[in-house]
Amino acid sequence: MSTTRYRVTHDPLRLDDLIDAVTASLDGDPPPGPGALSTFVGLVRDHNVDRRVLRLEYEGYEPLALRAFEQIGQETAERWDVQMALHHRLGVLQIGEASVMIAVASPHRADAFAACRFVIERIKQIVPIWKHEFFEGGDVWIEGATANPDDDGARENAYRLASDG
Amino acid sequence: MQVTIRLFARLRDLAGTGELARDVEEGATVGAVWGTLTGEFPALAEYESSISTAVNAEYSRMDSAVSDGDEVAFLPPVSGG
């Protein structure tokens, strides 16, 4: 059983690993029984804008990505009563494969849902990972947000999206 | 002094390499390293206003100082998830 909360890996992701990481006790005692568990799985889509996507290749700056995961974990814990796990895959992914998984355990379902949404929004803002999209007729690097972990406005926007549902 | 420069995603494609070692002056900033890089690879200059930077795998600023042996990374806008 894996209890690694934060992971960047070229191997296929397994949701059970994340669920174990947020529900299993670390010291061998019975699990605390969080009451609510919310998960998010991001999958490779077969289209983007008007392009027919063939596959994605994910690249990451792994040590900085893990530090960004830690920061997101701290920001999540400051706002909600939750335990969070976050795994992101790198390398070649085919259509339908999971690129990212999030699990959030909490005593309260509202916190679990909100924190899960916050984490995926924050990933898209500050985690140094990039999609290289291969589509019918060409390829393109997808470029989203300029990562700035100290941008309070971006963080507040992620909190707002999470709270509005 | 010498630093290791790391480039990712399209920056890596434009430079043709993801890692290179370059000599920079003592007391150089991340911005000075970027200047060295764009001098060598002018195509990178279009990213001047949209890159993020890191020193030794911690986010930094353009005016952050670098030291001998540091790893200085330049990151185009991110697209994880």
Side-chain angles (χ1 to χ4, degrees):
Chain A
M1 185 176 70
S2 166
T3 56
T4 304
R5 296 230 168 173
Y6 306 127
R7 176 180 289 166
V8 178
T9 176
H10 283 72
D11 296 329
L13 304 180
R14 295 169 8 122
L15 196 55
D16 282 351
D17 289 348
L18 288 88
I19 293 173
D20 287 347
V22 295
T23 59
S25 122
L26 298 176
D27 56 9
D29 290 337
L37 174 71
S38 183
T39 61
F40 174 83
V41 178
L43 305 171
V44 177
R45 215 170 31 200
D46 68 354
H47 66 278
N48 187 23
V49 198
D50 55 356
R51 302 188 291 266
R52 184 175 154 84
V53 177
L54 304 175
R55 68 178 187 281
L56 295 180
E57 292 186 18
Y58 282 85
E59 176 174 328
Y61 187 20
E62 296 187 34
L64 184 56
L66 288 171
R67 283 190 167 144
F69 288 7
E70 296 270 359
Q71 175 176 337
I72 294 170
Q74 288 168 13
E75 292 171 351
T76 305
E78 285 168 10
R79 182 63 61 107
W80 297 284
D81 180 10
V82 296
Q83 304 292 323
M84 189 273 281
L86 166 54
H87 293 185
H88 203 299
R89 194 164 167 202
L90 300 180
V92 178
L93 273 74
Q94 306 299 330
I95 304 303
E97 286 196 282
S99 56
V100 62
M101 292 185 177
I102 302 162
V104 178
S106 172
H108 312 292
R109 68 180 182 279
D111 283 5
F113 278 123
C116 206
R117 176 71 189 275
F118 172 79
V119 172
I120 187 64
E121 298 300 333
R122 209 66 181 119
I123 289 168
K124 291 173 179 293
Q125 292 176 347
I126 65 165
V127 171
I129 291 177
W130 300 269
K131 293 181 183 83
H132 193 178
E133 179 187 301
F134 292 80
F135 58 91
E136 271 188 356
D139 66 277
V140 63
W141 283 102
I142 307 298
E143 295 178 346
T146 295
N148 178 358
D150 302 322
D151 181 346
D152 295 338
R155 186 175 63 246
E156 286 308 313
N157 192 43
Y159 278 133
R160 193 161 45 245
L161 285 168
S163 302
D164 292 348
Chain B
M1 63 183 189
Q2 192 175 70
V3 297
T4 300
I5 299 171
R6 298 285 306 273
L7 300 172
F8 293 90
R10 187 154 176 266
L11 299 186
R12 179 172 55 75
D13 281 356
L14 288 172
T17 179
E19 181 170 335
L20 54 170
R22 288 293 179 272
D23 291 320
V24 296
E25 291 186 12
E26 290 292 331
T29 60
V30 171
V33 178
W34 175 252
T36 299
L37 201 59
T38 54
E40 190 171 344
F41 305 102
L44 296 178
E46 67 172 282
Y47 281 90
E48 175 107 15
S49 61
S50 64
I51 49 167
S52 303
T53 63
V55 175
N56 298 330
E58 284 198 50
Y59 278 117
S60 68
R61 295 156 41 126
M62 277 294 203
D63 60 4
S64 300
V66 299
S67 303
D68 186 44
D70 278 354
E71 176 173 288
V72 183
F74 296 100
L75 318 170
V78 299
S79 57

